[in-house]
Amino acid sequence: MKVGILHIVSICVVNFLLNYLLLFPLDLFQYITTPDLKMFSLVGLIVSGTTALATLLFYKLVDGKQIRTLGFQFKRRDLLFSISSIVLTVLFVFIVSMVASNLGVVEAQWNLEVFIEPSFYVLFIMVFVSWFVAAFNEEVLFRGYFVANLKFLSKKKLYFMTSFLFMIFHIFKGLDPISIVVLMLMSCVFLNVYLKSGSLLPCIFAHLIYNFSTSHLVGSSDIAILKFNGDIGLLNLIVIGLFMMTTLVLTKIFYGKNESSIIVNNERVLS
């Protein structure tokens, strides 16, 4: 128990320091929200890739465990879950954005001509990979590493602690009461997927497609398929709610009620 907490504190310090040193003294924070997609992708790869590597090395060298024990298997049901999550998330992001346009919240129009531009595919892949690495980094730390070291907690405490830490780590982007609640609920949804599947990959793909679709497939991005300026306002909460409910339903459909072997082997988590 004490060792687990010590490891959690240590890896949090390591990740906080890496994020701070990369984003501020090197002045990379400005590229987190830049419209320059090449710089956005490059900085995302550097920051997320560095912290992900640090977490994996810490798990292997300090915890003394094999990295594969975090859960990287990708079975048929994991593939089906991931495909379903990607398709449904993109679908309702487009639908809600069109509803916002019909209500006059934004003026949206399809930007299908981007498909004939070669540069679109290069930028699309770069941004997609950047979001994949970002999702990989967060899932490895907040679901994989934290669960591995907090198995002594009851299930409720495990959900709260991992969600609280997930929220705290987003402090660099600014927090308000709504974002605090959303971040903690989102963390619970991803943790549920991990506990039921025993694999980080379904969590990574669900996390990836939410970030990618809401940030770049719609809006003012150069690769946006549905183009509009501004924000859809409170309708964002509908997108978030639909995403979380869809993910919970898909988790139940593909994984049922059984906990994965990662958690079954620990009695207190199931108490």
Side-chain angles (χ1 to χ4, degrees), residues 18-120:
L18 283 174
N19 274 283
Y20 177 79
L21 292 173
L22 290 170
L23 292 175
F24 296 104
L26 294 181
D27 201 26
L28 297 182
F29 186 78
Q30 60 179 309
Y31 298 112
I32 296 297
T33 57
T34 180
D36 183 342
L37 296 185
K38 290 182 180 179
M39 286 304 301
F40 170 85
S41 302
L42 181 60
V43 170
L45 287 171
I46 292 173
V47 176
S48 297
T50 300
T51 49
L53 180 61
T55 301
L56 292 174
L57 288 175
F58 195 94
Y59 186 69
K60 182 175 179 60
L61 300 177
V62 179
D63 289 60
K65 298 178 182 179
Q66 294 295 318
I67 292 175
R68 61 181 175 80
T69 60
L70 289 172
F72 290 103
Q73 68 274 14
F74 201 52
K75 300 178 181 177
R76 182 173 178 271
R77 63 180 182 177
D78 301 321
L79 175 62
L80 293 175
F81 172 92
S82 300
I83 292 174
S84 300
S85 178
I86 290 172
V87 171
L88 292 174
T89 301
V90 171
L91 181 63
F92 64 64
V93 166
F94 281 141
I95 290 174
V96 173
S97 297
M98 286 303 299
V99 169
S101 180
N102 291 333
L103 293 175
V105 178
V106 294
E107 293 184 9
Q109 58 182 3
W110 293 102
N111 188 31
L112 301 181
E113 58 268 22
V114 294
F115 291 112
I116 64 174
E117 299 176 9
S119 60
F120 165 78

Side-chain angles (χ1 to χ4, degrees), residues 7 49 51 93 103 126 143-144 161 163 203 217 227 242 260:
H7 284 180
T51 49
V93 166
L103 293 175
M126 289 179 66
R143 260 58 72 179
M161 185 59 67
S163 299
C203 311
L217 284 187
K227 200 89 170 178
L242 285 172
S260 73

Side-chain angles (χ1 to χ4, degrees), residues 41 49 67 85 94 108 111 135 139-140 149 187 259 268:
S41 302
I67 292 175
S85 178
F94 281 141
N111 188 31
E139 295 307 317
V140 164
N149 281 276
S187 178
E259 303 291 342
R268 289 200 63 191

Side-chain angles (χ1 to χ4, degrees), residues 1-262:
M1 176 173 150
K2 290 183 178 179
V3 173
I5 293 176
L6 179 60
H7 284 180
I8 292 292
V9 172
S10 300
I11 197 61
C12 284
V13 171
V14 168
N15 273 266
F16 259 118
L17 286 176
L18 283 174
N19 274 283
Y20 177 79
L21 292 173
L22 290 170
L23 292 175
F24 296 104
L26 294 181
D27 201 26
L28 297 182
F29 186 78
Q30 60 179 309
Y31 298 112
I32 296 297
T33 57
T34 180
D36 183 342
L37 296 185
K38 290 182 180 179
M39 286 304 301
F40 170 85
S41 302
L42 181 60
V43 170
L45 287 171
I46 292 173
V47 176
S48 297
T50 300
T51 49
L53 180 61
T55 301
L56 292 174
L57 288 175
F58 195 94
Y59 186 69
K60 182 175 179 60
L61 300 177
V62 179
D63 289 60
K65 298 178 182 179
Q66 294 295 318
I67 292 175
R68 61 181 175 80
T69 60
L70 289 172
F72 290 103
Q73 68 274 14
F74 201 52
K75 300 178 181 177
R76 182 173 178 271
R77 63 180 182 177
D78 301 321
L79 175 62
L80 293 175
F81 172 92
S82 300
I83 292 174
S84 300
S85 178
I86 290 172
V87 171
L88 292 174
T89 301
V90 171
L91 181 63
F92 64 64
V93 166
F94 281 141
I95 290 174
V96 173
S97 297
M98 286 303 299
V99 169
S101 180
N102 291 333
L103 293 175
V105 178
V106 294
E107 293 184 9
Q109 58 182 3
W110 293 102
N111 188 31
L112 301 181
E113 58 268 22
V114 294
F115 291 112
I116 64 174
E117 299 176 9
S119 60
F120 165 78
Y121 297 97
V122 175
L123 291 175
F124 186 96
I125 293 172
M126 289 179 66
V127 174
F128 186 89
V129 171
S130 178
W131 277 122
F132 176 84
V133 176
F136 178 89
N137 171 47
E138 293 193 351
E139 295 307 317
V140 164
L141 177 62
F142 297 109
R143 260 58 72 179
Y145 189 86
F146 284 0
V147 169
N149 281 276
L150 293 174
K151 284 185 177 181
F152 58 87
L153 296 177
S154 66
K155 185 183 291 187
K156 289 182 180 179
K157 291 179 179 178
L158 180 65
Y159 271 92
F160 174 78
M161 185 59 67
T162 55
S163 299
F164 178 76
L165 291 171
F166 181 71
M167 177 269 294
I168 290 296
F169 263 79
H170 286 77
I171 195 170
F172 291 121
K173 297 180 180 180
L175 295 174
D176 56 67
I178 293 179
S179 64
I180 288 174
V181 173
V182 167
L183 285 168
M184 294 189 71
L185 289 177
M186 197 77 81
S187 178
C188 289
V189 170
F190 291 136
L191 180 57
N192 181 59
V193 177
Y194 181 52
L195 297 186
K196 294 294 176 63
S197 68
S199 174
L200 287 171
L201 292 175
C203 311
I204 291 170
F205 281 111
H207 196 156
L208 151 71
I209 198 58
Y210 173 79
N211 288 340
F212 181 59
S213 59
T214 56
S215 298
H216 288 98
L217 284 187
V218 299
S220 59
S221 167
D222 289 342
I223 59 171
I225 298 172
L226 185 61
K227 200 89 170 178
F228 58 83
N229 291 316
D231 188 83
I232 62 174
L234 291 177
L235 290 175
N236 278 314
L237 295 179
I238 294 179
V239 173
I240 295 168
L242 285 172
F243 173 76
M244 290 193 289
M245 287 189 291
T246 300
T247 305
L248 290 172
V249 171
L250 290 176
T251 304
K252 188 169 185 178
I253 291 174
F254 290 106
Y255 302 112
K257 297 181 179 180
N258 296 326
E259 303 291 342
S260 73
S261 59
I262 291 177

